[in-house]
């Protein structure tokens, strides 16, 4: 007999190919694409089979509800996202949804009803891989969505308003009185659990994030005739800045990271000294003060490098997400359920953003991380062991039972 954890993994694998992928080569499932709708249809069937009533809200989130002892009771939301990046792995997002379905299926099979309902949410736009905005659907649910954000188009010129009623979109909002809490199971997307030899970890919070666009202006010149001492090389300056950012982050606490993910050299050529360069800087830490001090130090070094190299420097902040701590009481319940399931409780920070950070504006949140091979995600080689998924399911079921007992007390 296939275990619930193994079935959750197998279902993620089944959703990683056409018609559930926009691409015949690898998994790409973007918000509101044909593959997205096909995946929703399949997940609807799995939710109904598990004993849930299923519907789709105005933001095209898919929701399955397993009623509590009393109709209309507040709900514990278990959720994650079903959209993906381009050329993705199978488990980033969907595994949390599949485990939520399995947790409900186990309750229904034993005819167990709780002092609260359970709603499994399959969010639609966590990655932001189609439209130039991310987490639109969870922001709609949490009530933090700026309607102006919905005025977007994809790379083919298709507008979000061509696909959904934007006036109705905010009606996906839930009220705080309806929701007891939020639980999200997700692959770690990092190597910590694997290094610790652990299958699972309780997330303490999601790191604060800052992102900048940096521009450098020097003087373009001939690669063969301009003496080194006379150069105002925008690429050399950028290279020194990249290493400066790495140096600051490496010297900080373990959860401090700095990343240059995009570099551009407009009008670059093999025989031309670059007159301009652009790059991004992403700085994250579990504590906003740590993040901010690191960012200030990095930018101070950038200014020093630009001054010494006689380069013009522009800095534009494009992203600022505060840290999102998980609820202490729910973390304690996750730790207790982990211990009951025979695993060592372990806590860690999430360096990546998740729908949980958005839902924190609506209700208390908790996250359970699963080990993934090599810490690799957003990649076709993403891998989760079925045994680890089974362990996660046991912890989630224990968490639900402990929360029920707490509500009954």
């Amino acid at each position: 007999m296939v275990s619930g954890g193994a079935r959750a993994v197998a279902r993620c694998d089944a959703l990683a190919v056409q018609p559930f992928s926009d691409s015949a080569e690898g998994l790409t499932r973007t918000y509101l694409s044909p593959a997205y709708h096909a995946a929703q249809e399949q997940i609807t069937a799995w939710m109904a089979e598990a004993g849930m009533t299923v519907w789709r809200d105005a933001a095209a989130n898919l929701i399955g509800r397993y009623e509590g002892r009393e109709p209309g009771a507040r709900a514990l939301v278990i959720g994650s996202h079903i959209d993906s990046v381009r050329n993705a792995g199978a488990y980033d997002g969907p595994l949390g949804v599949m485990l939520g379905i399995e947790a409900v299926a186990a309750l229904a099979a034993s005819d167990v009803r709780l002092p609260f309902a359970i709603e499994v949410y399959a969010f639609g736009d966590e990655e932001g891989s189609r439209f130039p905005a991310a987490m639109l659907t969870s922001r709609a649910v949490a009530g933090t969505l700026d309607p102006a954000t919905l005025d977007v188009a994809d790379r083919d010129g298709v507008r979000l308003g061509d696909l959904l009623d934007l006036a109705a979109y905010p009606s996906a909002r839930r009220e705080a009185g309806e929701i007891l809490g939020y639980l999200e199971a997700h692959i770690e997307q990092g190597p910590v659990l694997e290094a610790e030899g652990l299958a699972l970890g309780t997330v303490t919070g999601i790191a604060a994030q800052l992102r900048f666009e940096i521009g450098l202006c020097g003087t373009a010149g001939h690669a063969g005739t301009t003496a080194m001492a006379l150069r105002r090389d925008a690429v050399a300056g950028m290279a020194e800045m990249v290493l400066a950012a790495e140096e600051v982050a490496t010297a900080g606490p373990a959860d401090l990271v700095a990343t240059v993910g995009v570099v551009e050299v407009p009008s670059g050529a093999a025989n031309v000294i670059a007159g301009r360069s652009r790059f991004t800087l992403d700085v994250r830490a579990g504590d906003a003060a740590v993040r901010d001090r690191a960012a200030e130090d990095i930018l101070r070094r950038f200014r020093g490098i630009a001054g010494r190299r006689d380069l013009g420097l522009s800095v534009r902040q494009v992203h600022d997400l505060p840290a999102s701590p998980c609820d202490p009481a729910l973390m304690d319940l996750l730790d207790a359920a982990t211990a009951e399931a025979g695993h060592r409780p372990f806590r860690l920070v999430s360096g990546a953003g998740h729908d949980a950070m958005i839902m924190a504006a609506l209700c208390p949140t908790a996250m359970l991380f699963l080990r993934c091979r090599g810490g690799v995600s957003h990649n076709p080689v993403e891998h989760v062991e079925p045994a680890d998924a089974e362990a996660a399911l046991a912890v989630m079921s224990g968490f639900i039972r402990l929360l029920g007992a707490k509500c009954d007390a």
Side-chain angles (χ1 to χ4, degrees), residues 80-137:
S80 197
H81 60 98
I82 60 169
D83 66 317
S84 80
V85 297
R86 299 180 187 279
N87 199 28
Y91 310 107
D92 176 357
L95 183 59
V97 179
M98 300 307 129
L99 287 171
I101 293 171
E102 292 297 335
V104 169
L107 292 170
S110 300
D111 197 25
V112 173
R113 297 286 172 174
L114 299 156
F116 49 82
I118 295 178
E119 292 182 2
V120 178
Y121 261 77
F123 291 114
D125 185 51
E126 194 261 8
E127 299 288 5
S129 55
R130 179 174 186 181
F131 298 101
M135 302 187 188
L136 289 174
T137 66

Side-chain angles (χ1 to χ4, degrees), residues 249-270:
T250 301
D255 65 340
L256 172 64
V257 292
T259 305
V260 173
V262 176
V263 296
E264 298 177 329
V265 183
S267 304

Side-chain angles (χ1 to χ4, degrees), residues 180-201:
L180 178 65
Y182 176 79
L183 172 64
E184 181 168 0
H186 202 284
I187 61 171
E188 182 196 348
Q189 300 178 275
V192 175
L193 290 173
E194 188 174 62
E196 291 285 335
L198 297 173
L200 307 168

Side-chain angles (χ1 to χ4, degrees), residues 377-389:
S377 73
H378 287 187
N379 188 302
V381 302
E382 197 175 272
H383 179 81
V384 174
E385 288 293 333
D388 289 354

Side-chain angles (χ1 to χ4, degrees), residues 82-408:
I82 60 169
D83 66 317
S84 80
V85 297
R86 299 180 187 279
N87 199 28
Y91 310 107
D92 176 357
L95 183 59
V97 179
M98 300 307 129
L99 287 171
I101 293 171
E102 292 297 335
V104 169
L107 292 170
S110 300
D111 197 25
V112 173
R113 297 286 172 174
L114 299 156
F116 49 82
I118 295 178
E119 292 182 2
V120 178
Y121 261 77
F123 291 114
D125 185 51
E126 194 261 8
E127 299 288 5
S129 55
R130 179 174 186 181
F131 298 101
M135 302 187 188
L136 289 174
T137 66
S138 53
R139 280 191 273 168
V141 172
T144 60
L145 181 69
D146 179 356
T149 309
L150 301 175
D151 184 20
V152 290
D154 66 13
R155 63 181 64 185
D156 297 319
V158 178
R159 307 201 69 79
L160 181 57
D162 298 334
L163 304 173
L164 288 176
D165 181 352
L166 299 190
Y169 204 100
S171 68
R173 176 176 182 170
R174 303 296 296 272
E175 299 299 326
E178 299 178 286
I179 306 300
L180 178 65
Y182 176 79
L183 172 64
E184 181 168 0
H186 202 284
I187 61 171
E188 182 196 348
Q189 300 178 275
V192 175
L193 290 173
E194 188 174 62
E196 291 285 335
L198 297 173
L200 307 168
T202 297
V203 177
T204 58
I206 297 170
Q209 304 175 25
L210 272 178
R211 192 170 301 159
F212 303 90
E213 290 180 349
I214 313 295
L216 291 175
C217 181
T219 301
H222 195 289
T225 62
T226 307
M228 299 300 291
L230 299 177
R231 297 186 178 200
R232 299 176 64 234
D233 188 333
V235 165
M238 175 174 65
E240 187 175 353
M241 290 178 182
V242 171
L243 293 176
E246 181 183 54
E247 182 179 346
V248 170
T250 301
D255 65 340
L256 172 64
V257 292
T259 305
V260 173
V262 176
V263 296
E264 298 177 329
V265 183
S267 304
N271 62 343
V272 176
I273 301 161
R276 291 184 178 275
S277 66
R278 296 191 295 261
F279 63 99
T280 60
L281 172 68
D282 184 298
V283 184
R284 307 186 188 200
D287 182 88
V290 171
R291 173 203 68 173
D292 293 346
R293 284 195 299 270
E296 289 171 7
D297 189 9
I298 291 170
L299 295 178
R300 178 183 59 79
R301 295 189 186 207
F302 284 6
R303 289 190 289 271
I305 293 167
R308 178 163 40 80
R309 289 179 172 272
D310 193 21
L311 297 171
L313 172 68
S314 65
V315 177
R316 185 168 77 94
Q317 182 178 302
V318 295
H319 201 43
D320 182 358
L321 286 177
S324 178
C326 292
D327 181 76
L330 296 186
M331 285 192 289
D332 288 344
L333 289 183
L334 268 182
D335 284 349
T338 299
E340 284 188 359
H343 300 272
R344 173 167 67 91
F346 180 79
R347 294 188 174 188
L348 70 168
V349 173
S350 172
H354 301 283
D355 289 305
M357 69 192 299
I358 304 299
M359 293 294 286
L362 176 67
C363 62
T365 61
M367 282 198 76
L368 180 68
F369 269 174
L370 289 78
R371 168 174 53 192
C372 56
R373 182 185 292 166
V376 174
S377 73
H378 287 187
N379 188 302
V381 302
E382 197 175 272
H383 179 81
V384 174
E385 288 293 333
D388 289 354
E390 183 64 20
L393 180 57
V395 171
M396 293 169 69
S397 297
F399 173 90
I400 291 167
R401 179 180 53 76
L402 291 172
L403 183 61
K406 184 176 180 180
C407 290
D408 279 333

